[in-house]
Amino acid sequence: MTSKLKPTLGTIHLWGIAVGLVISGEYFGWSYGWGVAGTMGFLVTTALIALMYTCFIFSFTELTTALPHAGGPFAYSRRAFGETGGLIAGMATLIEFVFAPPAIAMAIGAYLNVQYPGLNPKYAAVGAYLIFMTLNILGVRLAAMFELVVTVLAVIELLVFMGVVAPGFSLSNFTAHGWAGSESFGLPAVSGIFAAIPFAIWFFLAIEGAAMAAEEARDPKRTIPKAYIAGILTLVVLAIGVMLLAGGAGDWRRLSDINDPLPQAMKMIVGEHSNWMHMLVWIGLFGLVASFHGIILGYSRQFFALSRAGYLPAGLAKLSRFQTPHRAIIAGGVIGIAAIFSDGWINLQGMTLTAAMITMAVFGAIVMYLMSMLSLFRLRRSAPDLARSFRAPGYPVVPGIALLLALVCLVAMLWFNPVIGGLFALLMAAGYGYFLLTKAQRASAPRDAMLVGE
């Protein structure tokens, strides 16, 4: 049993992880943005969020290559702002990556229930947890190869969807009632643009999780920039393409409150009995699986890094004989399975538990983005000699844009989601309480030169 991860991943594996973590967001969740902003309003929201993520990734890559650490944002903030800074980023990242998987698992369960009506969606979701937790425990290279395969299949499927529906695309369908149900831009459209922020973030949420595989990357200073830049470009193209073509397939309002917008959009063009339709319904599951499997990898590395540094019980940092943090994988799974069985009796702001967990994950992500960009600015001043094989282009403007847009997102999220925002704050406060009680635990943790700059 050791606490050192083994570097085995190349550029293509990291690209598969970066895109796979996110790609379920192209399949479901985003279309709820149409319900509050309309197609045109949501297009504005998505363009702003795509700009934020592009600027963020080009800036975040500097941190990932300079500090290739399993803690990702936790490590950058710990180095930049000390122990308390590390706690804020680490807790926010953990909330993001622990709350996203049960939402995706429940979508997998609902998807399988459509195909097999006798199958209980909750049991299917738990089965997904058990299968992919086991796959992650058996070795990171095996897990990464599986992630790459399902990600490639999911990307191909999205391209097939766009190719099949493109001949039926109508711009008038896309623009009809496009400003929050109105034909013209007005104050309701402005409100809708901001209210739709979490659904646009769902297009890109968790791409930063590939940073948590940095310790397991071969030559991270070379492979990570290639993987991240290719990943964000892949996702921007897919997000815009899927949204435009689905919205132009027919009456988009029929797609704005459902979990399977792509099959329903294709049905408008080719009919429900087309072979293309059957292929999309079955292979579309790969998008959900890719994100679910990849985020398990992400949360386990965050548990591992926080435990190794003394922020969580040290037992979670132990590695199995497969050199994987099996206890951390299981810990996140226990929380996720508990959340699945809470669905139906927990209701927040009138949302389903799935929607509430997505919103909670977005809160964690935004706080982590803010801490990461602040860390980039701080480390440029406090650690000018840090080896930076990749530097954020357009510094300080590009990371400044990412920071500003992330702050706008946080304010909008708090305005439209005060209850979940309060619950997020309570979770952060509980983490801080544990932090205050465990100073000796951190003092006795192994020294990590990457965290303290020694």
Side-chain angles (χ1 to χ4, degrees):
M1 303 276 273
T2 70
S3 60
K4 186 173 178 60
L5 298 169
K6 184 179 179 181
T8 60
L9 305 179
T11 302
I12 190 68
H13 301 107
L14 294 168
W15 173 87
I17 292 170
V19 175
L21 282 162
V22 183
I23 202 163
S24 68
E26 268 71 2
Y27 281 85
F28 85 105
W30 59 267
S31 63
Y32 290 103
W34 283 348
V36 293
T39 45
M40 298 298 290
F42 190 58
L43 185 61
V44 173
T45 307
T46 303
L48 289 172
I49 297 303
L51 174 63
M52 181 186 81
Y53 269 93
T54 302
C55 291
F56 171 76
I57 286 299
F58 273 95
S59 306
F60 191 71
T61 301
E62 175 177 320
L63 294 168
T64 309
T65 51
L67 298 168
H69 192 281
F74 155 70
Y76 320 144
S77 295
R78 171 67 179 82
R79 179 74 172 263
F81 298 108
E83 288 191 340
T84 303
L87 171 78
I88 294 170
M91 276 295 297
T93 306
L94 200 57
I95 289 170
E96 174 191 359
F97 278 78
V98 167
F99 279 91
I104 300 171
M106 291 166 73
I108 292 172
Y111 192 102
L112 291 173
N113 176 254
V114 171
Q115 305 300 321
Y116 304 102
L119 180 64
N120 187 312
K122 291 182 180 179
Y123 293 151
V126 172
Y129 257 106
L130 296 177
I131 291 169
F132 295 111
M133 284 164 58
T134 301
L135 188 57
N136 269 278
I137 288 171
L138 290 177
V140 68
R141 188 170 178 85
L142 174 64
M145 280 302 300
F146 177 84
E147 182 76 354
L148 177 62
V149 170
V150 293
T151 297
V152 168
L153 288 171
V155 169
I156 290 172
E157 182 61 18
L158 291 174
L159 295 175
V160 168
F161 165 79
M162 288 189 275
V164 171
V165 301
F169 174 81
S170 167
L171 184 61
S172 60
N173 284 339
F174 185 84
T175 58
H177 319 288
W179 297 105
S182 173
E183 298 294 340
S184 59
F185 181 80
L187 286 178
V190 174
S191 177
I193 286 169
F194 285 101
I197 281 174
F199 305 111
I201 287 177
W202 192 244
F203 266 135
F204 307 101
L205 183 77
I207 185 174
E208 67 280 355
M212 288 171 241
E215 280 189 38
E216 294 156 284
R218 297 193 305 268
D219 192 8
K221 296 182 184 301
R222 183 179 60 85
T223 56
I224 288 174
K226 292 179 180 179
Y228 260 142
I229 293 168
I232 191 63
L233 293 176
T234 300
L235 290 164
V236 169
V237 169
L238 291 175
I240 299 297
V242 164
M243 180 177 58
L244 286 174
L245 291 169
D251 185 353
W252 59 264
R253 291 173 294 184
R254 291 164 52 192
L255 310 176
S256 65
D257 60 351
I258 58 176
N259 276 333
D260 57 342
L262 301 194
Q264 298 305 318
M266 185 178 278
K267 189 185 295 186
M268 295 175 180
I269 303 296
V270 300
E272 61 182 312
H273 300 297
S274 165
N275 288 332
W276 288 114
M277 181 70 185
H278 290 302
M279 186 185 74
L280 183 77
V281 168
W282 282 106
I283 301 182
L285 188 61
F286 284 117
L288 300 178
V289 167
S291 290
F292 181 66
H293 176 257
I295 293 176
I296 288 176
L297 187 150
Y299 80 59
S300 66
R301 271 53 180 182
Q302 190 66 195
F303 269 121
F304 167 81
L306 288 170
S307 302
R308 187 174 59 181
Y311 286 72
L312 291 174
L316 292 173
K318 297 294 185 182
L319 301 184
S320 70
R321 62 189 180 91
F322 301 107
Q323 293 296 291
T324 53
H326 60 300
R327 295 182 182 180
I329 292 169
I330 293 168
V334 169
I335 296 171
I337 291 170
I340 287 168
F341 284 106
S342 299
D343 188 35
W345 58 271
I346 291 180
N347 187 287
L348 297 170
Q349 297 181 186
M351 295 182 179
T352 65
L353 186 62
T354 300
M357 287 189 295
I358 288 173
T359 305
M360 181 69 78
V362 171
F363 267 113
I366 293 171
V367 171
M368 183 271 289
Y369 300 157
L370 289 168
M371 290 299 296
S372 295
M373 292 301 94
L374 291 171
S375 297
L376 175 65
F377 285 110
R378 179 67 176 267
L379 290 171
R380 278 288 187 105
R381 296 193 302 272
S382 65
D385 298 328
L386 189 64
R388 294 174 171 88
S389 60
F390 181 94
R391 286 180 170 265
Y395 180 90
V397 175
V398 169
I401 291 172
L403 181 65
L404 177 62
L405 289 176
L407 187 59
V408 169
C409 288
L410 181 61
V411 172
M413 288 285 293
L414 289 169
W415 178 263
F416 288 102
N417 303 279
V419 174
I420 297 175
L423 184 57
F424 172 79
L426 284 175
L427 289 173
M428 293 292 289
Y432 185 64
Y434 181 84
F435 171 82
L436 293 177
L437 295 172
T438 53
K439 184 176 181 180
Q441 183 173 284
R442 292 191 302 281
S444 62
R447 299 294 290 171
D448 189 331
M450 204 175 289
L451 295 182
V452 298
E454 294 176 350

